[in-house]
Amino acid sequence: MSKFAQSLSIKMLRKKLKLDAPNLQNSESIATVSPSQSMDLPKTFLELEINLNESLKKVSFSHPVEYVYHPLDYALKPHTVFVNRYCTSHKKVMFLGINPGPWGMCQTGIPFGEVASVRDWFKINEDVSKPERECPERKVLGLACKRSEISGQRVWRLFKNICGTPENFFKSGFMYNYCPIALMKKGGSNVTPSEIKGDAQKLEELCDETLYDVIQLLQVEIVVGFGRYAEARALHVLEKSNPLNTKVFYLVHPSPRVPNNKNWEFMNTAFKFAHEALASQEVPVGCIFVHNGEIVATGRNTVNATRNATRHAELNCIDDVNQICKSQNCDVLTFFSAVEVYVTVEPCIMCAAALYDLNVRCIVYGCKNDRFGGETVFNVASVLKPVTRCIGGFRADEAMSLLKTFYKGTNPSAPPHKVKLKNKEN
């Protein structure tokens, strides 16, 4: 653990034990950030990043790494604006990327920094210069770059759909890259830290230390790793010391290089509601309805909250769409025929029957429902003969992991456990 992290942990421990008397003139509440702290926070954060960037310059990389880009050198201006604008408070959730992509942060200096998102959503327009040694196939053009980074486009479009404005997202969230440098092969192909060989240990030691410091500085409650590598580094960093009891979750990486993530944004939104259900002690199923490419309804299980066994995620979404049709005076069946359903778990027999009866265009689900599945347990489609296509197995392991987490805990609405006792002989 670094000296910075040690000093911060000591301060937090003193607060928790109430060893420091409150000072009304200079309050340092853990839950809130004073104006002076909001100025110090981005400054300290930038210092951590720049120190890491300088330390990584001392690491030599062997084959196949041919080019090393340091966006925090040549694109420091837009990055500084990003940090000063959006890193002024503690963050409940921090999304963790791996390292800069050639058409994202390499161009703009911002994590997952797809040019259009940076220019049009963040309204950041600062100039960038050039890396020390530039790959001919990966020229840095800043906001003039015409290529779009698919990963960044997917990530920020998702959060734009959910949050509306950057301010709403960054109120409690933040985006951070585990490693601030880009590594490329001779032809410009990206090399992630997980793909390099002997040089990885030193790189990971430096990046691990800074990641820990960032988590403590921002008092992060939840780290969401994009991809298994980011998740693994966060878990490793917090394994020995986790004073904030920070939790680590995983999201499939939005890169088009990752298999089976064509519908990344839609399923990620469904998983967001599944996580929300889990946090509310409901069976973790999340669902969204998409109509002509736009999300029109979102839902999760609310059975325990409503004490109504029919309040499944899919039926909650159906109710929302019915209200839309009523308010817009449009035909319900025509509307539903253009709806795509994305749900984290195979719909149960009840929900499958309702969706098939409405003739939705397609159902994309995560893991199978071995207890009540409308395909696995009883094939509802064989009876109703719908036109609906049903595709399963999309991020099934992730969906099943959420279910296992729920069933390991306690369902607050479950009946008391009854143990059968053998009759004693007289």
Side-chain angles (χ1 to χ4, degrees), residues 65-81:
V65 177
E66 185 70 24
Y67 298 95
V68 181
Y69 282 17
H70 289 260
L72 295 187
D73 283 345
Y74 64 81
L76 185 59
K77 284 183 181 178
H79 185 82
T80 301
V81 172

Side-chain angles (χ1 to χ4, degrees), residues 251-265:
L251 277 179
V252 69
H253 197 282
S255 168
R257 292 171 64 186
V258 177
N260 300 321
N261 72 348
K262 183 181 176 183
N263 298 310
W264 184 87
E265 292 170 69

Side-chain angles (χ1 to χ4, degrees), residues 91-131:
K91 304 298 181 182
K92 183 173 184 178
V93 183
M94 185 173 80
F95 293 88
L96 183 65
I98 302 174
N99 71 322
W103 311 116
M105 186 171 176
C106 283
Q107 301 293 331
T108 63
I110 292 165
F112 287 99
E114 187 249 350
V115 169
S117 300
V118 170
R119 182 190 60 229
D120 303 333
W121 202 45
F122 296 149
K123 306 295 183 186
I124 294 176
N125 300 293
E126 267 60 34
D127 293 332
V128 303
S129 53
K130 291 278 189 180

Side-chain angles (χ1 to χ4, degrees), residues 71-311:
L72 295 187
D73 283 345
Y74 64 81
L76 185 59
K77 284 183 181 178
H79 185 82
T80 301
V81 172
F82 173 77
V83 172
N84 283 333
R85 186 180 295 175
Y86 298 122
C87 188
T88 59
S89 63
H90 299 144
K91 304 298 181 182
K92 183 173 184 178
V93 183
M94 185 173 80
F95 293 88
L96 183 65
I98 302 174
N99 71 322
W103 311 116
M105 186 171 176
C106 283
Q107 301 293 331
T108 63
I110 292 165
F112 287 99
E114 187 249 350
V115 169
S117 300
V118 170
R119 182 190 60 229
D120 303 333
W121 202 45
F122 296 149
K123 306 295 183 186
I124 294 176
N125 300 293
E126 267 60 34
D127 293 332
V128 303
S129 53
K130 291 278 189 180
E132 250 181 48
R133 185 165 169 262
E134 190 174 42
C135 174
E137 289 83 8
R138 296 291 183 267
K139 289 188 177 295
V140 173
L141 303 172
L143 293 180
C145 178
K146 301 299 183 185
R147 291 282 298 266
S148 177
E149 184 189 64
I150 303 301
S151 298
Q153 185 185 72
R154 288 174 169 179
V155 165
W156 294 120
R157 188 163 59 195
L158 168 68
F159 292 128
K160 185 178 181 181
N161 285 338
I162 294 172
C163 303
T165 67
E167 289 72 23
N168 286 339
F169 171 77
F170 289 106
K171 198 176 294 179
S172 58
F174 198 65
M175 189 72 67
Y176 175 71
N177 267 343
Y178 169 74
C179 174
I181 64 174
L183 308 167
M184 300 177 196
K185 297 178 183 178
K186 189 173 182 179
S189 299
N190 191 38
V191 181
T192 65
S194 63
E195 294 170 327
I196 61 176
K197 303 299 179 185
D199 314 302
Q201 185 175 352
K202 185 59 180 175
L203 179 144
E204 288 179 345
E205 285 175 3
L206 293 168
C207 294
D208 283 353
E209 183 177 293
T210 304
L211 174 59
Y212 182 87
D213 289 346
V214 165
I215 290 170
Q216 306 314 307
L217 174 68
L218 301 184
Q219 297 188 15
V220 176
E221 296 178 29
I222 298 169
V223 175
V224 180
F226 283 117
R228 292 297 184 193
Y229 180 79
E231 177 199 31
R233 296 324 303 168
L235 288 169
H236 175 76
V237 160
L238 296 169
E239 188 177 15
K240 292 182 180 178
S241 176
N242 189 1
L244 296 170
N245 195 27
T246 303
K247 299 196 170 40
V248 178
F249 293 102
Y250 156 81
L251 277 179
V252 69
H253 197 282
S255 168
R257 292 171 64 186
V258 177
N260 300 321
N261 72 348
K262 183 181 176 183
N263 298 310
W264 184 87
E265 292 170 69
F266 294 145
M267 281 303 280
N268 264 357
T269 306
F271 271 101
K272 171 184 176 289
F273 286 95
H275 280 284
E276 191 179 289
L278 181 63
S280 301
Q281 294 185 302
E282 298 278 0
V283 176
V285 178
C287 180
I288 67 165
F289 282 13
V290 177
H291 184 267
N292 294 334
E294 296 292 328
I295 296 174
V296 292
T298 59
R300 63 172 178 83
N301 277 17
T302 54
V303 170
N304 292 336
T306 59
R307 298 185 181 276
N308 183 338
T310 69
R311 291 297 84 198

